[in-house]
């Protein structure tokens, strides 16, 4: 398989920036594309409406890591938490932006073009985390190297220890809490001035909205940058490729694959490889329709176990 991929990359380079090479069933097919938007990967346009949106909290998500030479670097992601009466959905900002366009009645082409930005955005937060929908559950839609998955776990499955320490952030009075999840110890700050028991990623279940969170190793940090009223509905993609899995099993697989997805793939599981030179020098390989996001820097998982 390594030899096949090497040949594919060489062919794509030779054909130029608008070429696409597709491997199906062991054969190699070359396709030419004239626009970056002419991509074979399926953009999911069917969604499950989980509820009406009332508010949106935007967060900066920063990962402090090292480049391949060991120099300290930071990666910055833009993320969004949509909050309704009974639950919330946490996604990358691009996903939120595309859903906002759709809710506003924008043309389908404009919505699709917004969704396709995920393919050429280096720092894209892949998981979609649904909090307390259904009640008492957290549902995560994510991807491994070759599979689209979904798993459930108890909502806010973190034992929080509330402290008496207080501060202010973004004009809100905030209080400190600590807890452990997924092998990391977290310090979070929440505000009871926004009485919503939600927060970024899976950091939820407190007496108010989580406005800041960081792990004890100083690697991961979420920080609220805005909180506004919003009628963007709580949506979740209905992807026909999705398979249900166990959370612990998936976290182990994802972490083992993440640093070098292509190297970790079992060739027997590959049905389709697409190589595109119109999406930049990184992340231009798709296996079974799933983009292989090989980290530019040292991978730092949110969950260690």
């Amino acid at each position: 398989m390594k030899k096949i991929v090497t040949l594919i990359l060489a062919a794509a380079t030779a054909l130029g920036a608008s070429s696409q090479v597709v491997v199906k069933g062991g054969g190699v097919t070359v396709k030419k594309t004239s626009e970056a938007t002419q991509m074979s990967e399926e953009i999911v346009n069917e969604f499950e409406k989980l509820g009406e949106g009332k508010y949106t909290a935007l967060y900066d998500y920063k990962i402090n890591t090292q480049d391949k030479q060991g120099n300290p670097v930071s990666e910055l992601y833009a993320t969004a938490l949509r909050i309704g009466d009974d639950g919330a959905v946490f996604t990358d900002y691009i996903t939120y932006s595309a859903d906002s366009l759709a809710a506003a009645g924008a043309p389908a082409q404009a919505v699709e073009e917004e969704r396709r930005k995920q393919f050429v955005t280096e720092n894209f937060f892949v998981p979609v985390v649904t909090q307390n929908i259904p009640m008492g559950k957290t549902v995560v839609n994510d991807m491994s190297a070759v599979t689209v998955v979904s798993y459930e776990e108890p909502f806010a499955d973190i034992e929080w220890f509330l402290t008496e320490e207080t501060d202010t952030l973004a004009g809100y009075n905030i209080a400190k809490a600590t807890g452990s999840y997924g092998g990391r110890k977290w310090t979070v700050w929440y505000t009871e001035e926004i009485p919503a028991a939600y927060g970024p990623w899976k950091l939820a279940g407190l007496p108010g909205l989580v406005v800041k969170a960081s792990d004890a190793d100083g690697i991961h940090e979420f920080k609220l940058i805005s909180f506004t009223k919003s009628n963007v509905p709580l949506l979740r993609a209905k992807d026909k490729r999705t398979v249900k899995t166990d959370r612990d099993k998936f976290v182990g697989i994802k972490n083992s694959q993440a640093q070098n997805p292509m190297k970790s793939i079992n060739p027997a599981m590959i049905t389709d490889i697409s190589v595109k030179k119109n999406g930049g020098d990184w992340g231009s390989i798709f296996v079974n329709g799933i983009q292989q996001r090989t980290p530019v820097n040292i991978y730092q998982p949110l969950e260690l176990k």
Side-chain angles (χ1 to χ4, degrees):
M1 178 53 66
K2 181 178 179 181
K3 185 180 292 185
I4 293 174
V5 173
T6 301
L7 289 172
I8 293 169
L9 286 169
T13 302
L15 286 165
S18 63
S19 64
Q20 172 182 321
V21 181
V22 180
V23 177
K24 293 194 177 203
V28 178
T29 302
V30 177
K31 296 183 178 180
K32 292 207 173 178
T33 55
S34 58
E35 299 285 343
T37 55
Q38 291 179 334
M39 304 173 79
S40 65
E41 280 54 54
E42 179 180 6
I43 294 290
V44 178
N45 288 314
E46 291 188 28
F47 297 87
E48 177 184 7
K49 186 175 181 179
L50 304 174
E52 300 292 342
K54 296 184 67 177
Y55 304 97
T56 294
L58 300 182
Y59 294 86
D60 278 341
Y61 167 41
K62 184 170 69 171
I63 303 176
N64 295 312
T65 184
Q66 301 86 38
D67 63 21
K68 299 301 174 62
Q69 287 73 46
N71 302 307
V73 294
S74 294
E75 300 172 352
L76 190 63
Y77 296 71
T79 59
L81 178 71
R82 276 170 271 179
I83 301 171
D85 285 325
D86 302 313
V89 177
F90 185 73
T91 68
D92 189 88
Y93 182 81
I94 290 173
T95 303
Y96 166 73
S97 178
D99 289 349
S100 299
L101 288 174
Q109 182 177 354
V111 176
E112 182 170 317
E113 287 178 356
E114 187 67 17
R115 294 199 195 285
R116 288 191 183 280
K117 288 181 181 179
Q118 65 184 278
F119 295 135
V120 293
T121 297
E122 184 174 336
N123 294 338
F124 178 80
F125 190 82
V126 176
V128 173
V129 182
T130 305
Q131 302 177 11
N132 204 40
I133 303 174
M135 186 174 293
K137 298 287 185 181
T138 291
V139 179
V140 179
N141 286 41
D142 205 340
M143 294 181 182
S144 68
V146 293
T147 312
V148 181
V149 305
S150 175
Y151 65 85
E152 287 186 0
E153 58 185 302
F155 169 62
D157 193 22
I158 304 172
E159 184 178 5
W160 292 113
F161 296 90
L162 308 186
T163 76
E164 296 183 357
E165 190 171 343
T166 60
D167 205 337
T168 59
L169 179 69
Y172 296 104
N173 293 312
I174 59 177
K176 180 181 176 180
T178 61
S180 296
Y181 176 81
R184 293 194 184 278
K185 295 181 180 180
W186 288 90
T187 296
V188 304
W189 294 84
Y190 64 94
T191 177
E192 295 188 42
E193 294 176 12
I194 304 176
Y198 309 114
W201 184 48
K202 302 178 183 180
L203 303 174
L206 285 154
L209 182 73
V210 172
V211 298
K212 187 177 180 181
S214 58
D215 75 296
D217 296 319
I219 295 173
H220 301 277
E221 180 182 88
F222 295 93
K223 187 174 181 180
L224 181 75
I225 57 173
S226 72
F227 180 80
T228 57
K229 289 185 176 181
S230 170
N231 60 1
V232 179
L234 280 58
L235 302 177
R236 184 168 57 205
K238 296 171 67 175
D239 192 325
K240 62 186 178 183
R241 302 170 296 176
T242 303
V243 296
K244 291 190 175 182
T245 189
D246 173 78
R247 179 251 174 216
D248 294 349
K249 178 181 178 181
F250 173 73
V251 169
I253 291 173
K254 181 176 181 179
N255 287 350
S256 67
Q257 293 178 343
Q259 192 61 54
N260 195 332
M262 289 298 297
K263 194 173 182 179
S264 65
I265 296 173
N266 180 353
M269 299 182 67
I270 297 177
T271 59
D272 183 291
I273 297 178
S274 300
V275 179
K276 299 181 178 62
K277 298 300 291 181
N278 51 19
D281 293 331
W282 58 270
S284 56
I285 301 174
F286 293 77
V287 176
N288 298 355
I290 297 174
Q291 187 176 17
Q292 303 303 296
R293 291 183 171 272
T294 301
V296 175
N297 304 304
I298 300 300
Y299 176 66
Q300 303 286 356
L302 265 169
E303 299 162 275
L304 296 173
K305 60 182 183 179

